[in-house]
Amino acid sequence: MENRLIVALDVPSLAKAKELIDVLDDAANFYKVGLELFLNTRGEILDYLKTKEKKIFLDLKFHDIPNTVTQAAKWAAGLGVDMFNVHASGGGVMMSTTVETVKNTALNNGFKVPLIIGVTVLTSFDIESFSQVGYKYTIPETVMNLAQLCQKSGLDGVVCSPQEANQIKTVCGQEFMTVCPGVRPRGTLLEDQKRITTPQEAIKMGADYLVVGRPITKSINPNQAAKDIVTEMVTI
Ligand code: C5P
């Protein structure tokens, strides 16, 4: 189960990130590097994670025209990350050309093909904030539409709320991967997350990977917090 926990390293400096990785030690093997840390370390954090033999999810959520995303994706894959993501709402052409280009580039240059995951609807959206951006379908309907589009476009899976994982598996099949933020152990703060579950519920609902940030990174004992989450994931 340790390998199904992805720790979101949303911290303001390389020093802070290194400190957390060292404190977490064997309690975490898979890390998500998002916009904040990638920018404030100018990408250097990736090298540190590799020297520590940790897996990397590069969470830059590409959302642009097909050509721009495809070129960015080539660079992401060339950095040797294990997983990266694009916004599914960028469309089918953007996603399918990205998959094809990354696979060809990896083949021609001898590097591994990373998992490519589509972001459906951010877990910070609730019904009210979602309607403000003008979507005419409900959140579950939109998530399902986007998940199916991701699958048709050749992506490996989606980022979604654990609340949606079960239905995605039913429609897209068990092999289609669900990567789920919006996870909160009981007694921790929701902060800006809205469509949340506990770690145990997330696993029961079909989440393949749990992405957890602040409940670990802001804990007074991050190592124990990560271990407690993994224990909860196992005891189902
Ligand atoms: O601190 P917290 O556990 O809320 O962190 C969740 C992480 O997952 C953040 O880095 C956030 O950017 C990311 N994420 C998310 N919802 C999505 C996609 C990514 O919360 N739909």
Side-chain angles (χ1 to χ4, degrees):
M1 282 288 176
E2 296 82 65
N3 297 327
R4 290 172 63 184
L5 172 66
I6 303 180
V7 177
L9 265 182
D10 296 322
V11 293
S13 69
L14 185 60
K16 183 71 197 157
K18 285 180 173 175
E19 186 189 311
L20 259 171
I21 294 160
D22 293 347
V23 164
L24 282 164
D25 197 22
D26 287 344
N29 301 320
F30 207 155
Y31 284 92
K32 182 174 85 65
V33 175
L35 293 163
E36 180 186 6
L37 186 61
F38 188 78
L39 290 170
N40 71 45
T41 67
R42 294 163 180 81
E44 261 183 64
I45 183 61
L46 303 185
D47 295 331
Y48 189 71
L49 286 166
K50 280 192 224 151
T51 61
K52 293 282 170 178
E53 296 181 358
K54 302 295 184 186
K55 290 178 83 179
I56 301 169
F57 170 17
L58 184 65
D59 176 26
L60 299 182
K61 299 188 183 70
F62 299 138
H63 192 177
D64 213 313
I65 59 172
N67 181 60
T68 305
V69 171
T70 301
Q71 296 311 312
K74 273 207 270 190
W75 284 98
L79 290 171
V81 302
D82 299 280
M83 183 188 283
F84 74 90
N85 56 7
V86 300
H87 264 287
S89 52
V93 173
M94 179 267 263
M95 292 193 280
S96 54
T97 52
T98 296
V99 171
E100 199 186 315
T101 308
V102 166
K103 281 189 178 157
N104 287 339
T105 311
L107 200 71
N108 294 336
N109 295 283
F111 54 74
K112 67 170 189 245
V113 183
L115 295 167
I116 309 178
I117 304 292
V119 179
T120 54
V121 175
L122 297 172
T123 44
S124 52
F125 271 118
D126 58 11
I127 300 168
E128 200 193 332
S129 52
F130 193 63
S131 69
Q132 285 167 356
V133 291
Y135 283 98
K136 68 175 179 176
Y137 296 104
T138 63
I139 292 177
E141 283 166 347
T142 309
V143 168
M144 291 315 301
N145 287 342
L146 291 172
Q148 285 175 285
L149 183 63
C150 289
Q151 190 174 39
K152 264 192 238 149
S153 310
L155 264 60
D156 299 291
V158 284
V159 181
C160 62
S161 162
Q163 294 178 11
E164 294 131 15
N166 198 14
Q167 210 196 338
I168 290 172
K169 294 276 186 189
T170 306
V171 173
C172 299
Q174 291 302 317
E175 297 303 305
F176 194 63
M177 213 170 272
T178 51
V179 179
C180 300
V183 177
R184 288 292 179 268
R186 268 180 231 295
T188 57
L189 294 172
L190 261 55
E191 286 146 310
D192 51 354
Q193 295 287 9
K194 300 277 167 45
R195 302 192 327 280
I196 60 134
T197 69
T198 65
Q200 188 172 79
E201 289 163 343
I203 294 292
K204 277 190 187 156
M205 289 173 167
D208 290 310
Y209 289 99
L210 271 54
V211 177
V212 187
R214 290 161 290 182
I216 295 173
T217 57
K218 293 218 167 130
S219 162
I220 46 166
N221 187 342
N223 185 293
Q224 193 56 49
K227 282 184 180 147
D228 288 347
I229 289 172
V230 172
T231 306
E232 207 193 309
M233 288 160 71
V234 176
T235 52
I236 57 167

